[in-house]
């Protein structure tokens, strides 16, 4: 499968953004702390997400990123595709030239699996994920950890 860290991090960061954007734009620095993803990597991902119209950025104090539309309208597949990821599990990138420039014996199996993965990711939105109690429990834990880390950082100044 060709889903790499880039796709996983993009989905994670977008879910974090969705969970924290009710009070305004979310800084990439905050996402970086909560999700333990480097700030420079997030900047690269969000540049692609912005170009694909999934997020909007606001500059200045209190700036950051917001979703460009309702979380119900953003499918996991669109996030993965925005950062140039693929969910194709064939060895030939779906071109049917897997073995000596011809279709291999198991091409249809892997092509069908790719289609099912794509369909699965098409059917799950940010809103769906935001409403899962397991996701909310993890977000709560991460928020508490971030507050503790910020407090310790301020004390140690």
């Amino acid at each position: 499968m060709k889903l790499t860290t880039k796709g996983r991090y993009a989905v994670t960061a977008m879910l974090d953004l969705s969970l924290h954007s009710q009070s305004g734009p979310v800084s990439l620095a905050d996402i970086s702390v909560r999700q333990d993803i480097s700030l420079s990597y997030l900047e690269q991902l969000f540049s692609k997400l912005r170009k694909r119209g999934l997020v909007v950025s606001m500059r200045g104090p209190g700036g950051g990123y917001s979703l460009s539309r309702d979380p119900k309208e953003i499918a996991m597949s669109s996030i993965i595709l925005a950062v140039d990821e693929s969910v194709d599990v064939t060895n030939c990138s779906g071109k049917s030239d897997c073995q000596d420039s011809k279709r291999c014996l198991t091409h249809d199996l892997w092509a069908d699996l790719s289609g099912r993965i794509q369909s699965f990711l098409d059917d799950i939105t940010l809103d769906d994920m935001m409403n899962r109690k397991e996701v909310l429990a993890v977000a709560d834990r991460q928020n508490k950890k971030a507050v503790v880390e910020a407090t310790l950082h301020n004390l140690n100044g």
Side-chain angles (χ1 to χ4, degrees), residues 11-66:
V11 168
T12 299
M14 286 289 285
L15 184 53
D16 184 286
L17 175 65
S18 300
L19 290 165
H20 295 93
S21 63
Q22 290 77 17
S23 58
V26 178
S27 77
L28 293 185
D30 289 344
I31 295 173
S32 174
V33 168
R34 283 189 296 265
Q35 301 307 324
D36 196 27
I37 303 171
S38 83
L39 184 56
S40 62
Y41 201 74
L42 283 172
E43 289 168 347
Q44 293 171 32
L45 292 175
F46 272 75
S47 173
K48 291 180 180 204
L49 294 166
R50 187 179 49 76
K51 286 177 185 172
R52 290 291 186 104
L54 295 177
V55 297
V56 292
S57 61
M58 284 129 228
R59 295 179 183 257
Y65 285 87
S66 298

Side-chain angles (χ1 to χ4, degrees), residues 104-152:
C104 72
L105 191 62
T106 57
H107 176 83
D108 290 336
L109 172 70
W110 304 126
D112 288 351
L113 177 58
S114 296
R116 288 186 184 214
I117 293 169
Q118 182 69 43
S119 179
F120 174 78
L121 294 171
D122 286 344
D123 291 341
I124 300 174
T125 66
L126 283 173
D127 187 66
D128 294 331
M129 294 298 295
M130 289 171 59
N131 291 310
R132 293 182 70 152
K133 64 181 173 183
E134 300 87 356
V135 169
L136 295 172
V138 171
D140 186 52
R141 184 193 75 225
Q142 290 173 334
N143 290 335
K144 288 175 183 173
K145 180 182 176 198
V147 168
V148 169
E149 288 177 7
T151 302
L152 289 174

